[in-house]
Amino acid sequence: MNEPARRLSVVVLVLFLALMGAASYIQVIGAEDLNQDPRNVRTLYREYGNFRGPIVVDGEAVVWSEPVDDPFNYQRSYTQGSLYAAATGFYSIVYGRSGLEQTENALLNGSADALFWTRLGNLFAGEQQQGASVETTLSGELQAVAAEQLGDQRGAVVALDPATGEVLAMVTSPTYDPELLASHDTATVNANYAELLAQEDGPLINRAIAGDTYPPGSTFKLLVAAAALEGGYTPDTELYGPQQLDLPGTSRTISNFGDAECAGDEYLPLADALRISCNTAFADLGMSLGWGVLERKARDFGWDEPLEMPLPVTASGLPESPNESETAMSALGQFDVRATPLQMAMVASAIANDGVLMKPYLVDTVRASDLTVVSQTEPEEYRQSMSPEDASDLTQMMVGAVADGTGRAARIDGVEVAGKTGTAQTGQDTPPHAWFVSFAPADDPVIAIAVIVEEGGETGSGATGGSVAAPIARSIMEKAIQLDAEGDL
């Protein structure tokens, strides 16, 4: 072989090896990522040609695929779509996937490794690939009550089973109907998506777990109280709670709601301070404990840590190295303390469950097309947030807040309810956010819940957590107790 032919052969060999390497990488290493990439339109076309599994609530499919006479073979349908949109998300030819449609995509479309034997069976039987069904932990009745009670007000509701971490209800408002984005008509989908994006209230945002985080206001006092109990305080320990408290290093003061006095002699027990939500007492307590103690206790409840359930959850935030006056504000759930509604439901859940925080989860069971169980979520301990003794003391303090304190609007006849109100300031000219976190029955909880109504909702600047959010929580807790008594929860 002459020299030019030898050189050409080497170049061809190198190009051939490079081609083999690239093909091997794409088909072996990068295949999964490419298949899961929602921008991969070829994947979408292939998926639409197969039967996609349903998403199930209470044994009924609320999302399913049905055959249609068009090139895509199947149409995704959402019954009561807006009611479950926060969990299901959407499945769109144009905009890909969100919610469970995204996180459980490989199971729903049948390509997951866990469905290998099912696919093999379909292959030998000459049948089409079929996706698995995803059964959620949601209670349809609780979801409906939460959505009805929240109404058109901006906000969110999250309800958990404190013993297991199951998400019983997750509502965000405003929301949208995923059916609007599931059409096979690209022009229609584009127009609907543009209309949703143009709405100022952001209906595509899941405020319960993945929207902007909120100042938790006085609901954060539960963590301050938990830190105090761990530090040796008791419900009877006297706190300093003047009508106004000077903020160190500033000319500013902290006042109580309505500039009220907490106690005639400026001292009151920790339990009473929580019951009437005394700002000055908790600000002074926060400074006495120190930021390091409060920060550690917040992390015990899951702050500052990303979470997937399997939907990704925005981490709740804490201030970095606040000074003494900033610590006082942080103890009231203001300054730079931020939380998702799910985070506050987790706080209530841990207190309700003897101090043990269970990891929240939204998917209960996955079944193959022949109904065999592919996977089932087992409850998992997430944190030991506080001792059982401290949880018991804090529960009784929360019972006092509902029985004869700021949370009276959450009282249920014949049932002890544990709760805490929050009225979080958001600006000089902006109405406060109304919060309520609670669980019931206090001695044997079946539900832990967090409610937020943004900027006072329909009440506006006169809103408080007790007047706006507590009645919403009460209705949901009443339904949960009824369902539990009937064996349906």
Side-chain angles (χ1 to χ4, degrees), residues 17-36:
L17 291 174
L19 182 61
M20 284 187 60
S24 299
Y25 176 83
I26 290 171
Q27 297 200 17
V28 177
I29 299 175
E32 182 67 20
D33 290 340
L34 291 171
N35 283 331
Q36 296 302 321

Side-chain angles (χ1 to χ4, degrees), residues 40 76-77 98 149 191 196 206 223 239 257 348 356 377 408 418 473:
N40 188 341
R76 203 66 166 157
S77 294
S98 69
Q149 290 296 314
L196 289 170
N206 188 339
L223 283 86
L239 303 182
F257 183 75
V356 177
T377 307
R408 285 190 289 271

Side-chain angles (χ1 to χ4, degrees), residues 1 4-22:
M1 183 181 296
R6 189 164 46 249
R7 290 178 179 174
L8 181 60
S9 299
V10 171
V11 171
V12 170
L13 178 62
V14 170
L15 291 174
F16 181 73
L17 291 174
L19 182 61
M20 284 187 60

Side-chain angles (χ1 to χ4, degrees), residues 215-289:
S218 291
T219 59
F220 195 73
K221 290 172 182 170
L222 292 172
L223 283 86
V224 181
L229 292 170
E230 187 176 76
Y233 287 61
T234 73
D236 296 325
T237 301
E238 295 278 320
L239 303 182
Y240 177 54
Q243 187 172 10
Q244 291 190 329
L245 181 73
D246 294 332
L247 286 174
T250 76
S251 57
R252 299 174 56 195
T253 60
I254 285 179
S255 302
N256 299 304
F257 183 75
D259 202 27
E261 290 184 347
C262 292
D265 63 355
E266 299 187 337
Y267 285 89
L268 72 169
L270 172 60
D272 281 349
L274 189 82
R275 179 177 60 81
I276 63 174
S277 201
C278 179
N279 285 343
T280 56
F282 271 90
D284 189 67
L285 175 60
M287 289 190 288
S288 298
L289 294 171

Side-chain angles (χ1 to χ4, degrees), residues 176-461:
Y176 67 100
D177 186 350
E179 194 99 18
L180 294 171
L181 305 178
S183 169
H184 294 173
D185 185 324
T186 301
T188 299
V189 172
N190 280 329
N192 290 339
Y193 193 70
E195 186 176 338
L196 289 170
L197 284 181
Q199 295 179 28
E200 292 183 0
D201 286 342
L204 292 171
I205 298 171
N206 188 339
R207 290 171 161 79
I209 60 171
D212 294 335
T213 50
Y214 303 94
S218 291
T219 59
F220 195 73
K221 290 172 182 170
L222 292 172
L223 283 86
V224 181
L229 292 170
E230 187 176 76
Y233 287 61
T234 73
D236 296 325
T237 301
E238 295 278 320
L239 303 182
Y240 177 54
Q243 187 172 10
Q244 291 190 329
L245 181 73
D246 294 332
L247 286 174
T250 76
S251 57
R252 299 174 56 195
T253 60
I254 285 179
S255 302
N256 299 304
F257 183 75
D259 202 27
E261 290 184 347
C262 292
D265 63 355
E266 299 187 337
Y267 285 89
L268 72 169
L270 172 60
D272 281 349
L274 189 82
R275 179 177 60 81
I276 63 174
S277 201
C278 179
N279 285 343
T280 56
F282 271 90
D284 189 67
L285 175 60
M287 289 190 288
S288 298
L289 294 171
W291 177 246
V293 172
L294 301 186
E295 182 182 42
R296 179 173 52 78
K297 183 48 63 183
R299 292 183 191 279
D300 286 345
F301 282 89
W303 251 266
D304 257 357
E305 183 164 326
L307 175 68
E308 294 184 350
M309 58 168 206
L311 306 187
V313 180
T314 302
S316 296
L318 297 168
E320 292 185 8
S321 305
N323 59 31
E324 201 170 13
S325 62
E326 291 167 344
T327 296
M329 296 298 297
S330 299
L332 307 181
Q334 300 282 177
F335 188 51
D336 283 344
V337 178
R338 294 291 182 273
T340 61
L342 173 65
Q343 176 64 76
M344 295 315 304
M346 290 164 64
V347 171
S349 178
I351 300 168
N353 194 38
D354 296 328
V356 177
L357 174 60
M358 303 301 290
K359 186 175 182 180
Y361 64 97
L362 186 58
V363 175
D364 180 53
T365 306
V366 176
R367 295 181 188 274
S369 55
D370 61 0
L371 301 183
T372 57
V373 174
V374 175
S375 65
Q376 186 156 32
T377 307
E378 294 295 331
E380 178 183 348
E381 184 176 323
Y382 190 48
R383 292 277 192 283
Q384 180 71 52
S385 300
M386 58 193 307
S387 71
E389 294 77 17
D390 290 348
S392 177
D393 284 343
L394 190 49
T395 295
Q396 290 309 308
M397 292 160 64
M398 295 172 68
V399 168
V402 174
D404 189 27
T406 55
R408 285 190 289 271
R411 288 187 293 195
I412 300 173
D413 288 344
V415 177
E416 271 196 340
V417 175
K420 181 70 192 80
T421 56
T423 307
Q425 302 301 320
T426 58
Q428 292 291 335
D429 302 320
T430 309
H433 295 328
W435 280 95
F436 193 70
V437 301
S438 59
F439 56 89
D443 60 344
D444 187 17
V446 298
I447 185 172
I449 188 168
V451 176
I452 182 172
V453 179
E454 288 185 19
E455 297 181 357
E458 296 167 354
T459 305
S461 57

